[in-house]
Every structure is written in structure tokens, then in C-alpha cells.
Amino acid sequence: MQIDVHQHLWGPAFLDALRRRTATPRLDGWTLLLAGEAPYDVDPADHDPRRRADEAAQDGVGLVLTSLSAPLGVESLPPDQAAPLLDAYHADALALPEPFRAWAAAGLAENDAPALARLLDQGLVGLQLPATALLDAAGYERCAPLLTVLEERGLPLFVHPGPAPAADGPAWWPALVPYVHQMHAAWYAFRAFGRPRHPGLRVCFALLAGLAPLHGERFAARGGGRGLVDPNAYVETSSYGPRAVDATVRAIGIDTIVSGSDRPYARIPRDFGVGDAAEHAIRVANPHRLLTGKD
């Protein structure tokens, strides 16, 4: 069964919660307003589960994992503001029909590990955190209670770009500059600080970790080590195609690359150009192992 580990699908409770807000992040009708990005006109059809299920079937995808849109910055809001949004997101996520399942989310101002455990016990597949929460040793110290819950249950972490700082640039700027930078930094922060603290944790980095694995030669030249591939540190393919995937395979091999689309903002290519066996690994075998820890 093909698996897409990275999509976003906003349900009615979450949409209503965003519209009730008077400060960013918020929805004004169908216009998304964020502190660090230009207003974005949301297409209501993009958040219709029936349409999205049809798209998954057309793509041959049998399991779709949805997550909170971390660039909104919900996780970092004060607890009294984050709670209504997180509760609404989780209510919608747990009500999704097939082929959807969802990643949990968590507030970062007050790490509530028991609440995360209860959500995971209801069937959520793991936890998504914004990369901005995991950029240094202090971030891993703060998030340790949440990550320990994942380790204890053998469930994965999904690291997704967080909020972009305000910048005077074109609409594509956040996706191409701060998001990529965040993921690059998060990849190396996990290697330096995350893996020593959480030796059993499976983790997946969005958008090929900002292509951080391609810097392995520089990493080795500056004393970071050579030829060390973490078998439990995965990267997903959203917004990238054959050239980037081929380069990443050359850097870290095929076994830790998984398919993710970031729908409704992008799609998985029909063919990554890596051959049938590698296509099966990326779309079927590797995502299954990320989620279950089993071949």
C-alpha cells in the first residue's frame, strides 16, 4: 500500500476556531492571515475530504497522513490561545474517514505529555513538531517529555517547518528560504542533540530536510564524521522531484526516503526516476517502516 506521510486537511472545527480569532493566525472568510507571510486565499475545495480521498485514489495512495500546518504557529501560542485550536484540530483529525490518519500536535509553552499520550492512544500515528522548536540543545531539553512519550510507544516524530519571520519578499519566499533553512538546521540539530537524548526515536524530516543530507562531504571535512547514516532518521519528498531525490539517494541511500506530497500545496511526482525497486521503497516499504518500526 502506498503511503503519503505529509498532507494538510482542515476540518470544520479547526476552520471555525481560526475564524473566531482576532489576531494571527486567523482566517478572514477563506483568507489566511499569518504574522510572517502575505495573505493567502485558501481554496475551500482543498479541504473537502471527499475530494481529497478521490485524489489519493487517483494517485494510487492507500494511506494519507495529515497534520496541523505548523507554519501557522499554533503550537507556540500561549496555552489559553493554543488549546482551542489544538482541541479543534484533534477532534477533526480523529473524525477523518479513510484513507486518512493524522499526526498529533502539541502546545510548546506547556508540554503536556499525558495529553499527548491520550491522543496517541486514540489512534494518531505520531507527533508533528515545528522545526523551530528543535534547533538546539535547549529545544530538545524542552521537548524531551513529548519525545519520551513517542519512544515509549514506538511511534515516530515528524519535523515540519514552523512559522516564517516577516520578510519583504515574493509569495514564494517563505517556502524557499526560511522553511528550507529551518529544516537544514533541524537535521543537524537532531544529529548533535536529539539522537544522543533519544536513541530509539524514529524521526522524519519534511522536504528532504532542506537538502541537508547533501552536505555530508562538508560535514565530514569539518570534523562531523563520515559515512554515518542513521537508519531511523527519515526524510520525505514534498515539493521535490527526480533530481533532488536522486541526489539524496546518493548521499544517504534509499532506505530512509519516504513519499510525502504536502497536498494541497504540491503533489507527489508520478515517477522519481529511480527504478521500480526504489519507487516501491519510497512509496511503500520505507513509510511503513517509519510508522511501525517493522520491515
Side-chain angles (χ1 to χ4, degrees):
M1 177 176 62
Q2 292 191 35
I3 300 172
D4 182 341
V5 305
H6 180 188
Q7 293 196 19
H8 304 288
L9 178 56
W10 297 347
F14 186 65
L15 291 167
D16 288 345
L18 281 174
R19 290 193 177 107
R20 286 195 297 270
R21 289 181 53 80
T22 58
T24 58
R26 68 185 184 93
L27 271 176
D28 181 2
W30 285 100
T31 300
L32 178 65
L33 302 173
L34 303 179
E37 301 192 31
Y40 177 78
D41 290 329
V42 177
D43 183 348
D46 285 340
H47 298 282
D48 179 344
R50 290 174 295 181
R51 171 179 161 172
R52 295 286 294 279
D54 289 343
E55 291 173 343
Q58 292 166 13
D59 290 341
V61 175
L63 175 62
V64 174
L65 307 185
T66 68
S67 67
L68 181 66
S69 297
L72 273 62
V74 170
E75 298 94 333
S76 298
L77 291 171
D80 63 326
Q81 296 186 43
L85 292 165
L86 291 171
D87 289 347
Y89 163 72
H90 288 123
D92 289 335
L94 290 166
L96 285 171
E98 294 183 352
F100 302 104
R101 293 184 67 191
W103 297 92
L108 296 171
E110 295 179 355
N111 286 338
D112 191 341
L116 173 61
R118 290 191 293 271
L119 288 167
L120 297 173
D121 289 346
Q122 292 179 69
L124 299 182
V125 299
L127 173 66
Q128 177 190 269
L129 288 177
T132 46
L134 297 169
L135 297 181
D136 52 24
Y140 277 97
E141 177 72 27
R142 288 191 297 271
C143 294
L146 303 175
L147 302 184
T148 297
V149 170
L150 295 178
E151 277 193 290
E152 290 172 348
R153 283 164 169 71
L155 296 176
L157 169 70
F158 181 38
V159 182
H160 187 286
D168 184 13
W172 50 258
W173 183 268
L176 268 294
V177 181
Y179 290 3
V180 172
H181 173 263
Q182 289 176 26
M183 296 311 303
H184 180 279
W187 171 264
Y188 285 105
F190 179 75
R191 188 157 192 163
F193 312 114
R195 180 55 78 209
R197 290 191 69 120
H198 302 281
L201 182 65
R202 297 190 308 282
V203 57
C204 180
F205 295 85
L207 52 110
L208 294 177
L211 299 182
L214 303 190
H215 294 272
E217 293 164 318
R218 182 174 176 84
F219 184 67
R222 297 305 177 99
R226 183 185 298 275
L228 300 176
V229 176
D230 185 335
N232 285 321
Y234 295 76
V235 295
E236 63 87 20
T237 61
S238 59
S239 296
Y240 288 102
R243 286 180 294 179
V245 169
D246 178 73
T248 306
V249 169
R250 292 174 184 272
I252 59 173
I254 191 66
D255 292 336
T256 55
I257 301 175
V258 300
S259 56
S261 68
D262 198 17
R263 274 190 185 271
Y265 310 109
R267 297 183 60 181
I268 296 176
R270 292 287 183 182
D271 185 355
F272 287 114
V274 290
D276 290 346
E279 293 279 351
H280 183 271
I282 291 172
R283 299 173 190 270
V284 180
N286 297 348
H288 173 78
R289 192 168 59 253
L290 165 67
L291 294 176
T292 67
K294 301 175 183 178
D295 289 320

